[in-house]
Structure formats: C-alpha cells, structure tokens
Amino acid sequence: MVKTRTQQWRAISRSWFAFFTMIFWVLLFVEAFSTGMMLTVGTPARTEQVIVKSKGLVQMTQSLNKELIDTANKNGATLNPQSTLVTIDDTQRLASKMVTASADNQMRVSLDTIKESIASRLQKAAADQGQNFDQKKVLTSLTAFLDREINQLVMSEGWGRAYPLLVLMTQTAVIVAAILMVIVLLIMLKTAHSWRQFLVVTGRSTYIMGYMGGFMAVLTTASPFLGAISARMPVNTELARDLLLAYSPLWQRVAGWTIVIGLVIAALSHFLPRPAVDENESVNAA
C-alpha cells in the first residue's frame, strides 16, 4: 500500500532522531571528558597538591641543583658536585607559586625566597670547602640562570602560558557542550514522538558512555599503558605518572556518576506506556 503522509513524516523523524542521537554521543563524550579534566588538571589547588608531593619533583630538584652547581663552577667557583644549593622544600614552594601564578594568568613568579636560600647555602658551601671566590659574581650568575629557566622558559614560554589556556578550555568545553546537549536533546525529544523512546535512547547512551569512560580511566593506570602515556607527556615522566595515578580515581567517579544517571533515565522509561501503534501502520503490517 502507498505510505500515508503520517508514515512518511515518522520515517523522516526516525532518521533525524538517529542522526541527532549520534551528535548526542559526541557531545556527551566531550562533556564527560571535559568535566573530568576540569575537576583534575583544570583545578589549580588539586594540581598543586599532586605536584608538591610528587616523586618527580625530587628528580627535578636534583637536576636543578646540578645545573646550579655547574653554573657556579663556570663563573669562578669550584664547588663539590655533592654540594646542595637547592632543596626539595625550595622547589615545593616554587612549584606552588608557579601553579598559583599560572592559574591567575601571570607569566612571572617572585624568586626572592629561593634566591635567599641559594645565597645562604652558597656562602656555607664556600666556608665548608675552604674556597675563596667572588660570591657576588657567582650569585649574580645563579640568579640570571634561575630567572631564565623559571620565568622565561617555564612561565613565559611553557607551563605558565599553557596552563591558563588549559583551564579555560576545560571550563569552556563543559559549558558549551552542556548548552549544545540541551538543544540536541530537545530536538531528539521532538523527533522521538514519545517520552519512552527518548528516555530509553538517552539513558542507554549515557550509561554506555559511562562504562567506556570508566574503562578508559582504569586503563590509563594499567602498567603497560601508564609508562607509555607518562613517557609521552611534556613533563617529567615521574611527575606525569603521579598526576595520572592521582587523577584516575576522580575520573572513575565521574564515569560512575554518568553510569548512574544513565541507568536512572533508562529505568524511568519503563514506567511510561508504550506508544500506541498508528491505525494505518497496523493495516499495512497486516
């Protein structure tokens, strides 16, 4: 039999419903991923807590101390390689300042505290090792080195420039994806022609996405993948590892809440009656 206008309209509606369901999947992924990133990397206080307690910061402290000794020795000193000019306490305070300054979109941090500590330890090292060199000249070279490494390379050209953009991107993605999801859901509701079908599809899509997100969050901390991912991140490998291990539980909780929301939505659909079959469709089916 020839299709009626109502049947043709419903066929077109189903096509649009399927199309916007796929768009909903994409937006749901963006929303869940951005929310997880916003609550972890995009939260300066949480990022600061992980960095200052990371084993990677110990490695970075040792590397910085070695570079400071080399710089001092190139400018007239003859310090023992085992000398200590900077400690983990210094780098922890500095890292805290850097994260806070980056979040406020500041490209420089004050180095006065660490400079005073280095000056005191330089003087002590010279006295303990019985050396006589121009401490003012050496300290000037160390100050210039610190300013170049921290304020220029890290803050102005690296972390300090990238981090505020990352925070802004995660927050913007959450807001924009949420707005677009509302629009898409309204269109899906219109083309679904029934609340039951709408809730079934959105609920199942949501909890399936939650399961996928949870699996990915767990996978990032699995031994074969953790090392590979950490090695490819543009930060100290040990620091990257600590960040992933610290953030994974929260990503899993975000996935868990996504699953719960999806299951609740899907469950609500079972309390609604099935849509009545159109009379013309019944005749055609017969």
Side-chain angles (χ1 to χ4, degrees):
M1 295 181 64
V2 180
K3 288 186 177 180
T4 65
R5 185 171 300 179
T6 301
Q7 289 175 296
Q8 292 175 345
W9 163 244
R10 287 189 174 179
I12 295 174
S13 294
R14 292 191 186 100
S15 299
W16 281 113
F17 183 72
F19 173 73
F20 280 102
T21 298
M22 291 188 289
I23 296 179
F24 174 70
W25 267 75
V26 175
L27 293 175
L28 185 60
F29 173 81
V30 173
E31 179 71 18
F33 179 81
S34 301
T35 299
M37 293 297 290
M38 183 185 69
L39 294 175
T40 51
V41 182
T43 304
R46 185 171 281 111
T47 300
E48 178 185 333
Q49 290 176 0
V50 177
I51 291 177
V52 298
K53 296 178 181 178
S54 171
K55 295 179 181 178
L57 193 62
V58 176
Q59 297 177 353
M60 295 169 69
T61 302
Q62 295 171 348
S63 177
L64 178 60
N65 188 68
K66 182 179 182 301
E67 291 176 341
L68 287 170
I69 293 174
D70 291 342
T71 301
N73 290 342
K74 290 178 182 177
N75 288 273
T78 53
L79 296 177
N80 190 309
Q82 305 303 321
S83 302
T84 300
L85 296 181
V86 65
T87 65
I88 186 64
D89 291 336
D90 296 323
T91 51
Q92 283 178 338
R93 285 192 293 266
L94 182 59
S96 179
K97 288 182 179 179
M98 292 169 66
V99 174
T100 302
S102 299
D104 294 335
N105 204 24
Q106 298 176 7
M107 297 294 104
R108 297 182 66 84
V109 293
S110 173
L111 301 175
D112 292 342
T113 303
I114 192 171
K115 288 178 182 178
E116 292 175 0
S117 298
I118 291 175
S120 175
R121 294 193 185 95
L122 179 65
Q123 185 178 9
K124 185 177 184 301
D128 292 344
Q129 298 174 30
Q131 297 187 25
N132 185 18
F133 53 84
D134 188 348
Q135 293 188 24
K136 185 175 181 180
K137 176 185 175 183
V138 173
L139 187 58
T140 300
S141 67
L142 295 179
T143 299
F145 171 80
L146 278 176
D147 191 67
R148 182 178 69 254
E149 291 292 317
I150 303 300
N151 280 328
Q152 182 178 340
L153 297 181
V154 178
M155 294 300 295
S156 297
E157 300 176 7
W159 169 271
R161 186 170 296 277
Y163 187 65
L165 292 177
L166 178 63
V167 174
L168 180 62
M169 286 172 59
T170 56
Q171 294 173 348
T172 303
V174 169
I175 296 172
V176 173
I179 295 173
L180 293 177
M181 279 178 61
V182 171
I183 296 174
V184 169
L185 287 172
L186 291 175
I187 297 175
M188 288 175 62
L189 179 59
K190 179 67 176 178
T191 54
H193 292 296
S194 74
W195 275 96
R196 182 185 177 90
Q197 183 183 10
F198 171 75
L199 292 176
V200 167
V201 173
T202 54
R204 289 176 179 175
S205 299
T206 302
Y207 70 69
I208 290 174
M209 185 63 69
Y211 281 121
M212 292 173 58
F215 176 74
M216 292 173 61
V218 173
L219 197 63
T220 56
T221 58
S223 297
F225 300 97
L226 181 61
I229 296 173
S230 301
R232 286 168 173 76
M233 292 180 68
V235 293
N236 176 278
T237 302
E238 193 66 36
L239 177 58
R241 176 187 175 89
D242 290 341
L243 287 170
L244 289 173
L245 289 173
Y247 292 158
S248 179
L250 185 52
W251 290 338
Q252 293 174 39
R253 285 197 292 272
V254 172
W257 279 109
T258 303
I259 294 172
V260 170
I261 293 172
L263 289 173
V264 170
I265 294 174
L268 289 175
S269 67
H270 294 284
F271 293 97
L272 300 176
R274 293 182 178 276
V277 179
D278 185 78
E279 183 179 347
N280 291 322
E281 290 183 354
S282 300
V283 173
N284 291 335

